[in-house]
């Protein structure tokens, strides 16, 4: 489904739209979710929570958005969280140099490429300003951190976190010392992150304010192959896009470990759980891949990276970053804070710094995926029907309750039934506006799986008509 159609549907149904859109000077890259969009997003988060937190016996925190400058000095973001910036000499429009080059070459540029590399490619490919066709200036590094001052008179320098996960690393020792956890343990968080993007575009795909669903798995590196539930996934096949031949291979978790494609069983286990999560959103397996990243393309903290990508509009779009962060985070924060973040497992004499494997999922990007993967159009006679085939777990409502007519007590009976369902924790809504066909169509378009209709027979026999969205 083209992104233009996704955006059209989103605007029509009020799923999401630009923040402060009534103002001409509103900055790009910020979005609001409307009533139905907000419900779908919250249901998505709940599905993530049940799937990757509760079922896996992981923990969850809720961390602050603003953190002191020292946190990001230790994490490496102050030095390394940069995008290549190039500006038109004439109109002064700013662009990401890598995106201009990628559009011309048709493939991605490694994340660690130098400014000299970008200048050379811009010259070779004769790239000019897309706006006025004038020459571009030299490439510079642009740090995407958004800063603030905490307290009066410019107080303490702080930053809005550029990735949601830093709180998890900072809180790990406190959670460990509670004495109720043992390794391996996953700690999750749903959180906002802020990135001063040079040129935000494609709706929710590249924004300045974003939301992430993170799971950080802390483990003893000497026990990377001790996975309690290994038998549940060992024969499960991962879709791995390998650097060796730039091809997708369907490889079992067991084989991926045996062939040393991944660093150990724990990595394969969590890749399997991530793939299963996206498959549960009605994404066909053949449209999912884990792209192995070469060293130059990985984030500065990662020893091994698999980007989970989904095919959307004929393009592979990254929806989750799966990073083996080793002991980088705890070691760096321990050094900067002058705190001992090493742990000692029960029955083990020596202390060690736990390693971390991360699954970081973009909420907005996954929201777009769900619209793309579940958007359906079908012909029925001369009529064309459009609906969202959303899984029950992420639909904005479970059921709509409709009176066939507003008169003869049908509306009152339908409203009574809806109130009863809500009292039983069923996610139900009531609608009496327009014809019954239009009400079905509205519910179908936002992905409501079931509709209950109260008609005259309901009044006589205390029965209802139950309609299933996809089959009608």
């Amino acid at each position: 489904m083209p992104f233009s159609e996704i955006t059209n549907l989103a605007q029509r149904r009020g799923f999401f739209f630009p923040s402060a859109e009534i103002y001409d000077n509103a900055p790009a890259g910020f979005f609001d979710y409307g009533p139905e969009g907000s419900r779908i997003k919250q249901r998505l988060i709940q599905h993530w929570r049940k799937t990757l937190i509760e079922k896996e016996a992981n923990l969850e925190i809720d961390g602050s958005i603003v953190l002191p400058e020292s946190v990001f000095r230790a994490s490496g973001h102050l030095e390394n969280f940069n995008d290549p910036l190039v500006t038109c000499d004439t109109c002064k429009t700013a662009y990401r140099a890598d995106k201009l080059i990628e559009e011309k070459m048709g493939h991605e540029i490694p994340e660690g490429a130098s400014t000299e590399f970008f200048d050379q490619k811009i010259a070779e490919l004769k790239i000019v300003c897309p706006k006025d066709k004038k020459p571009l200036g030299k490439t510079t590094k642009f740090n995407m951190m958004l800063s603030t001052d905490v307290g009066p008179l410019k107080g303490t320098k702080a930053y809005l976190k550029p990735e949601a996960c830093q709180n998890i690393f900072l809180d790990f020792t406190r959670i460990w010392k509670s004495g109720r956890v043992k390794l391996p343990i996953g700690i999750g968080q749903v959180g906002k992150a802020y990135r001063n993007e040079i040129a935000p575009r494609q709706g929710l795909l590249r924004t300045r304010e974003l939301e992430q669903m993170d799971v950080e798995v802390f483990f003893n590196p000497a026990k990377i192959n001790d996975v309690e539930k290994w038998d549940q996934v060992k024969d499960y096949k991962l879709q791995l896009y390998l650097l060796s031949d730039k091809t997708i291979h369907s490889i079992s978790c067991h084989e991926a470990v045996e062939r040393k494609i991944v660093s150990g069983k724990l990595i394969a286990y969590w890749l399997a759980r991530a793939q299963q999560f996206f498959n549960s959103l009605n994404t066909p397996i053949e449209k999912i891949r884990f792209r192995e990243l070469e060293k130059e393309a990985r984030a500065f903290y990662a020893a091994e990276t698999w980007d989970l990508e989904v095919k959307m509009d004929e393009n592979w779009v990254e929806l989750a970053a799966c990073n083996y962060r080793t002991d980088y985070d705890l070691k760096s924060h321990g050094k900067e804070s002058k705190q001992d973040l090493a742990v000692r497992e029960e029955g083990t004499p020596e202390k060690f710094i736990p390693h971390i494997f991360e699954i970081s999922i973009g909420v907005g990007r996954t929201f777009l995926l769900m619209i793309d993967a579940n958007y359906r159009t079908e012909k029925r006679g001369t009529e064309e029907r459009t609906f969202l085939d959303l899984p029950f777990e992420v639909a904005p409502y479970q059921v709509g309750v409709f009176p066939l007519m507003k008169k003869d007590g049908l509306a009152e009976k339908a409203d009574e039934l809806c109130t009863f369902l809500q009292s039983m924790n069923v996610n139900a809504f009531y609608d009496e506006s327009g014809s019954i066909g239009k009400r079905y169509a509205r519910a179908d378009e936002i992905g409501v799986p079931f509709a209950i209709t109260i008609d005259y027979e309901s009044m006589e026999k205390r029965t209802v008509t139950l309609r299933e969205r996809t089959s009608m």
Side-chain angles (χ1 to χ4, degrees), residues 129-142:
C129 174
K131 196 172 179 180
D132 63 11
K133 310 304 178 190
K134 299 294 185 181
L136 298 168
K138 294 289 185 182
T139 306
T140 59
K141 288 184 176 181
F142 175 74

Side-chain angles (χ1 to χ4, degrees), residues 421-433:
L421 290 171
Q422 290 170 341
S423 74
M424 300 297 289
N425 293 321
V426 176
N427 196 358
F429 75 99
Y430 172 82
D431 187 6
E432 61 177 30
S433 175

Side-chain angles (χ1 to χ4, degrees), residues 344-357:
R344 180 183 291 110
E345 290 187 287
E346 189 176 343
T348 305
E350 295 182 358
K351 296 179 75 173
F352 63 93
I353 300 286
H355 281 209
I356 297 168
F357 185 69

